[in-house]
Protein backbone atom coordinates (compact mmCIF):
# COMPACT_ATOMS: atom_id res chain seq x y z
CA UNK A 1 0.00 0.00 0.00
CA UNK A 2 1.19 3.51 -0.81
CA UNK A 3 1.96 4.72 2.69
CA UNK A 4 4.97 4.64 4.96
CA UNK A 5 5.84 5.42 8.52
CA UNK A 6 8.86 7.63 9.01
CA UNK A 7 10.86 8.30 12.13
CA UNK A 8 11.33 12.05 12.45
CA UNK A 9 14.64 13.23 13.85
CA UNK A 10 14.37 14.43 17.41
CA UNK A 11 16.68 17.19 18.63
CA UNK A 12 16.64 16.76 22.36
CA UNK A 13 18.68 18.20 25.18
CA UNK A 14 18.24 18.88 28.88
CA UNK A 15 15.53 21.46 28.07
CA UNK A 16 13.28 19.08 26.17
CA UNK A 17 12.60 18.03 22.58
CA UNK A 18 12.30 19.67 19.20
CA UNK A 19 11.41 18.18 15.82
CA UNK A 20 11.81 20.04 12.55
CA UNK A 21 10.19 19.03 9.23
CA UNK A 22 11.69 20.49 6.05
CA UNK A 23 10.28 20.06 2.59
CA UNK A 24 12.39 17.92 0.30
CA UNK A 25 14.31 16.54 3.31
CA UNK A 26 11.84 15.16 5.83
CA UNK A 27 8.88 15.14 3.43
CA UNK A 28 9.18 14.33 -0.30
CA UNK A 29 7.00 17.25 -1.42
CA UNK A 30 6.64 21.02 -1.25
CA UNK A 31 4.47 21.92 1.74
CA UNK A 32 1.58 24.03 0.47
CA UNK A 33 -0.78 23.64 3.43
CA UNK A 34 -0.74 22.79 7.11
CA UNK A 35 -3.77 21.98 9.21
CA UNK A 36 -4.40 20.31 12.53
CA UNK A 37 -7.27 18.45 14.10
CA UNK A 38 -7.84 18.78 17.84
CA UNK A 39 -10.62 18.82 20.42
CA UNK A 40 -12.07 15.71 18.78
CA UNK A 41 -15.12 14.46 20.66
CA UNK A 42 -15.07 10.89 22.05
CA UNK A 43 -16.03 8.09 19.63
CA UNK A 44 -15.77 10.38 16.60
CA UNK A 45 -14.54 8.84 13.39
CA UNK A 46 -13.62 11.29 10.64
CA UNK A 47 -11.97 11.38 7.25
CA UNK A 48 -13.94 8.92 5.10
CA UNK A 49 -12.31 10.09 1.89
CA UNK A 50 -9.42 9.66 -0.50
CA UNK A 51 -7.57 12.09 -2.76
CA UNK A 52 -6.71 12.04 -6.45
CA UNK A 53 -3.58 14.17 -6.21
CA UNK A 54 -2.37 14.86 -2.70
CA UNK A 55 0.50 13.67 -0.53
CA UNK A 56 0.17 14.21 3.19
CA UNK A 57 2.32 13.67 6.24
CA UNK A 58 0.33 13.06 9.43
CA UNK A 59 1.94 13.49 12.84
CA UNK A 60 0.06 13.16 16.11
CA UNK A 61 2.08 15.85 17.91
CA UNK A 62 0.14 15.37 21.16
CA UNK A 63 -1.79 12.35 22.42
CA UNK A 64 -2.68 9.55 20.05
CA UNK A 65 -5.10 8.44 17.37
CA UNK A 66 -5.55 5.59 14.92
CA UNK A 67 -5.68 5.76 11.15
CA UNK A 68 -7.52 3.21 9.01
CA UNK A 69 -6.04 2.96 5.50
CA UNK A 70 -7.50 1.19 2.48
CA UNK A 71 -6.09 1.06 -1.06
CA UNK A 72 -9.06 -0.80 -2.54
CA UNK A 73 -7.37 -4.16 -2.11
CA UNK A 74 -6.16 -4.29 1.46
CA UNK A 75 -6.59 -2.37 4.67
CA UNK A 76 -4.19 -1.37 7.40
CA UNK A 77 -4.39 0.31 10.80
CA UNK A 78 -1.70 2.69 12.01
CA UNK A 79 -1.41 3.87 15.61
CA UNK A 80 0.04 7.36 15.82
CA UNK A 81 1.17 7.72 19.41
CA UNK A 82 4.36 9.75 19.20
CA UNK A 83 5.39 13.17 17.83
CA UNK A 84 8.37 11.33 16.30
CA UNK A 85 6.17 9.13 14.10
CA UNK A 86 5.15 10.47 10.67
CA UNK A 87 2.63 8.73 8.43
CA UNK A 88 3.09 9.55 4.75
CA UNK A 89 -0.02 8.88 2.65
CA UNK A 90 -0.11 9.14 -1.14
CA UNK A 91 -2.95 9.23 -3.69
CA UNK A 92 -5.97 6.95 -3.78
CA UNK A 93 -5.78 5.77 -0.19
CA UNK A 94 -9.07 5.84 1.70
CA UNK A 95 -8.49 7.08 5.26
CA UNK A 96 -10.50 7.22 8.45
CA UNK A 97 -9.20 8.67 11.70
CA UNK A 98 -10.53 7.43 15.04
CA UNK A 99 -9.79 6.66 18.70
CA UNK A 100 -8.52 10.18 19.32
CA UNK A 101 -7.26 10.63 22.87
CA UNK A 102 -8.64 13.70 24.67
CA UNK A 103 -5.33 15.54 24.22
CA UNK A 104 -4.79 14.49 20.56
CA UNK A 105 -3.52 17.07 18.10
CA UNK A 106 -3.15 15.61 14.63
CA UNK A 107 -0.89 17.78 12.48
CA UNK A 108 -1.13 17.36 8.71
CA UNK A 109 1.33 18.70 6.12
CA UNK A 110 -0.07 18.64 2.60
CA UNK A 111 1.42 18.90 -0.88
CA UNK A 112 -1.50 20.95 -2.26
CA UNK A 113 -3.85 23.68 -1.12
CA UNK A 114 -7.38 22.76 -0.09
CA UNK A 115 -9.38 21.73 -3.13
CA UNK A 116 -12.74 20.04 -2.62
CA UNK A 117 -12.65 18.71 -6.22
CA UNK A 118 -9.61 16.59 -5.30
CA UNK A 119 -11.66 14.65 -2.73
CA UNK A 120 -13.31 11.29 -3.37
CA UNK A 121 -15.92 11.07 -0.63
CA UNK A 122 -17.95 8.15 -1.90
CA UNK A 123 -16.44 4.75 -1.07
CA UNK A 124 -17.72 3.05 -4.24
CA UNK A 125 -16.28 5.87 -6.39
CA UNK A 126 -13.00 5.43 -4.51
CA UNK A 127 -12.92 1.72 -5.32
CA UNK A 128 -13.39 2.49 -9.03
CA UNK A 129 -10.60 5.10 -9.01
CA UNK A 130 -8.22 3.00 -6.89
CA UNK A 131 -8.61 -0.14 -9.01
CA UNK A 132 -8.23 1.85 -12.25
CA UNK A 133 -4.92 3.26 -10.96
CA UNK A 134 -3.33 -0.18 -10.41
P1 LIG B 1 -13.41 17.59 6.56
O1 LIG B 1 -12.95 17.30 5.18
O2 LIG B 1 -14.81 17.22 6.92
O3 LIG B 1 -12.42 16.94 7.61
P2 LIG B 1 -12.06 15.38 7.82
O4 LIG B 1 -11.73 14.81 6.49
O5 LIG B 1 -10.89 15.41 8.74
O6 LIG B 1 -13.22 14.69 8.45
O7 LIG B 1 -13.16 19.13 6.82
C1 LIG B 1 -13.87 19.86 7.82
C2 LIG B 1 -14.11 21.27 7.30
O8 LIG B 1 -12.88 21.97 7.16
C3 LIG B 1 -14.80 21.30 5.96
O9 LIG B 1 -15.74 22.34 5.98
C4 LIG B 1 -13.68 21.65 4.99
C5 LIG B 1 -12.74 22.48 5.84
N1 LIG B 1 -11.32 22.37 5.45
C6 LIG B 1 -10.68 23.49 4.97
O10 LIG B 1 -11.28 24.58 4.81
N2 LIG B 1 -9.35 23.40 4.64
C7 LIG B 1 -8.65 22.25 4.80
O11 LIG B 1 -7.43 22.21 4.50
C8 LIG B 1 -9.34 21.07 5.30
C9 LIG B 1 -8.61 19.77 5.48
C10 LIG B 1 -10.68 21.19 5.62
Amino acid sequence: MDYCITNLTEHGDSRGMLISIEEGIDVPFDIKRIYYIYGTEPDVRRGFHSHKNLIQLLVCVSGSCKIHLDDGYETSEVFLDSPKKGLLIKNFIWREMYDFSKDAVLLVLASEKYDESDYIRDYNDFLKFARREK
Side-chain angles (χ1 to χ4, degrees):
M1 201 186 298
D2 235 352
Y3 79 87
C4 67
I5 294 165
T6 59
N7 271 319
L8 299 163
T9 306
E10 200 172 42
H11 304 280
D13 58 30
S14 58
R15 298 168 300 171
M17 300 299 174
L18 183 154
I19 288 175
S20 137
I21 303 174
E22 292 190 29
E23 64 184 30
I25 297 173
D26 306 287
V27 286
F29 56 83
D30 291 349
I31 301 164
K32 298 226 179 93
R33 177 166 53 111
I34 297 171
Y35 62 94
Y36 37 97
I37 293 169
Y38 61 99
T40 309
E41 295 294 333
D43 301 322
V44 162
R45 201 169 172 105
R46 56 186 304 166
F48 296 97
H49 65 259
S50 167
H51 289 278
K52 298 172 203 159
N53 177 39
L54 186 71
I55 311 176
Q56 292 186 304
L57 182 80
L58 282 65
V59 185
C60 200
V61 293
S62 167
S64 64
C65 67
K66 291 179 185 158
I67 317 288
H68 167 84
L69 301 168
D70 178 345
D71 68 356
Y73 294 95
E74 52 178 336
T75 63
S76 196
E77 314 297 318
V78 176
F79 187 38
L80 292 181
D81 60 345
S82 162
K84 288 188 287 187
K85 205 187 274 186
L87 171 64
L88 189 77
I89 309 179
K90 296 193 179 166
N91 301 328
F92 299 111
I93 303 280
W94 185 265
R95 79 284 313 264
E96 295 169 21
M97 294 87 93
Y98 63 105
D99 269 5
F100 286 86
S101 63
K102 221 175 164 50
D103 57 347
V105 180
L106 180 62
L107 174 73
V108 183
L109 311 183
S111 66
E112 303 296 335
K113 291 189 175 165
Y114 178 70
D115 174 8
E116 186 57 40
S117 71
D118 188 63
Y119 279 72
I120 307 166
R121 293 195 184 269
D122 179 88
Y123 186 72
N124 288 322
D125 287 347
F126 156 71
L127 286 179
K128 283 183 216 150
F129 272 107
R131 291 177 178 169
R132 198 186 301 156
E133 284 303 302
K134 291 272 164 180

